[in-house]
Every structure is written in C-alpha cells, then in structure tokens.
Amino acid sequence: MASDTDAYCAFMARPPRIPLMLPWECKVIYFFTLCIVPRRNGLANDAAWKAVCDTLGRLDKWNTYCIITMPDHIHLLTAPRERELSVAAFLKWFKRWFNELYDARGKWRWQPGGFDRLLRTSESVHKKWNYIRENPVRAGLVAQWRQWPYQRGFADNE
C-alpha cells in the first residue's frame, strides 16, 4: 500500500503545466530536447534520421523551424499552429510515431517526458537556434556545424 509521501512524490514528479501567458500578439515557439536511455549512440544514423523527418511530417499541427539529432538526444525549435496545442501531446506522438518507424527495442528507450522551454523573445529564439546548430561542434563530433548530416533548418549564411 502506497503512503501519503509516495503519492505526493509521484504527483511532484510531474507538476502541473503552467498556463501559457504570452501576450496574444507574441508567437509561441518551444525549444524541446528529447533524450534516450541509456545515453548511447542510438540516434545519429541514417535510419533514425529518416524516422525523425517522417515523424515530423506527421506532426502537421506544428511548424518545426530547426532540428538536430545527436547520438543520444534531439533538439528542436517548433511552434504549434494553434496556440493552445499540448506540449505533452507533441512529445507523446513524436515518440510513438518515431518508434513505429524505427526499431530500438532492447537497445534504448525514450526518457519519460522531455525538456521544453517556451521562448519569449526573438533574441532567445536566435540563441537557442544557434545553440542547437553548434551542438555537434561542442560535442567534438565535427569541426563545423555544416558537416553534421542529421540537421535541418540552418542556412549557410547564418
């Protein structure tokens, strides 16, 4: 039988979502990170990248501006076409549809949930865009971001 403390900890592990409180004239853009466990090279391959791209195509209520697939995680900037679309639903359907296309059973699984940040200014959007773009360079995987094959949404002149 679960104690009151167990129930409280289970509740606090997933606190309620804060309502979206941006002014109506501001565009809603999220920075997402989705990780796999165990942390290993499970995503940086052609088959996983194809599954990522096909999955984004199915998430047609979202505009994805940029995405990069690293060996053990994915970063993306995306915006719902309807302001109140659910972040939790995006994460759930991304993972479910990806798993239908890419068989990782026994090798790794998705971490529960994901990291999301609502970006409030164009400056923070640009900073996150640059952070995503440079991720494989910081990780020592390539010398320049253009060399990383598993990315989309970055122009050469940026």
Side-chain angles (χ1 to χ4, degrees):
M1 176 177 237
S3 70
D4 289 339
T5 303
D6 292 337
Y8 176 76
C9 288
F11 171 75
M12 290 310 294
R14 291 202 176 130
R17 188 143 205 74
I18 297 170
L20 182 60
M21 296 194 292
L22 278 180
W24 279 100
E25 64 274 8
C26 292
K27 188 164 182 81
V28 175
I29 301 176
Y30 291 100
F31 167 67
F32 288 145
T33 301
L34 295 86
C35 298
I36 63 170
V37 289
R39 299 296 291 260
R40 62 184 304 176
N41 187 357
L43 296 169
N45 62 71
D46 293 343
W49 178 244
K50 182 176 179 347
V52 164
C53 293
D54 291 349
T55 299
L56 289 176
R58 290 181 74 180
L59 287 160
D60 59 357
K61 293 183 179 179
W62 292 78
N63 291 321
T64 297
Y65 300 113
C66 67
I67 183 165
I68 200 157
T69 298
M70 298 293 289
D72 61 358
H73 64 281
I74 296 172
H75 290 303
L76 63 143
L77 290 181
T78 191
R81 291 185 186 201
E82 298 168 22
R83 189 177 176 93
E84 297 298 326
L85 285 175
S86 165
V87 168
F90 177 94
L91 296 171
K92 175 183 88 172
W93 288 109
F94 182 94
K95 292 173 184 180
R96 181 175 292 177
W97 288 337
F98 177 92
N99 288 344
E100 288 175 5
L101 297 170
Y102 187 79
D103 184 14
R105 284 180 299 208
K107 300 173 194 154
W108 58 264
R109 61 180 172 74
W110 291 107
Q111 242 179 20
F115 174 82
D116 66 273
R117 167 102 32 189
L118 175 63
L119 304 179
R120 291 173 171 76
T121 67
S122 62
E123 180 183 338
S124 64
V125 169
H126 185 72
K127 283 181 180 178
K128 288 299 183 192
W129 179 88
N130 202 36
Y131 171 83
I132 294 169
R133 183 182 75 170
E134 297 296 325
N135 209 241
V137 176
R138 281 191 311 278
L141 299 170
V142 292
Q144 293 189 7
W145 66 267
R146 288 175 194 86
Q147 298 169 316
W148 188 247
Y150 309 114
Q151 48 95 1
R152 186 171 77 189
F154 305 102
D156 285 343
N157 61 356
E158 298 288 336

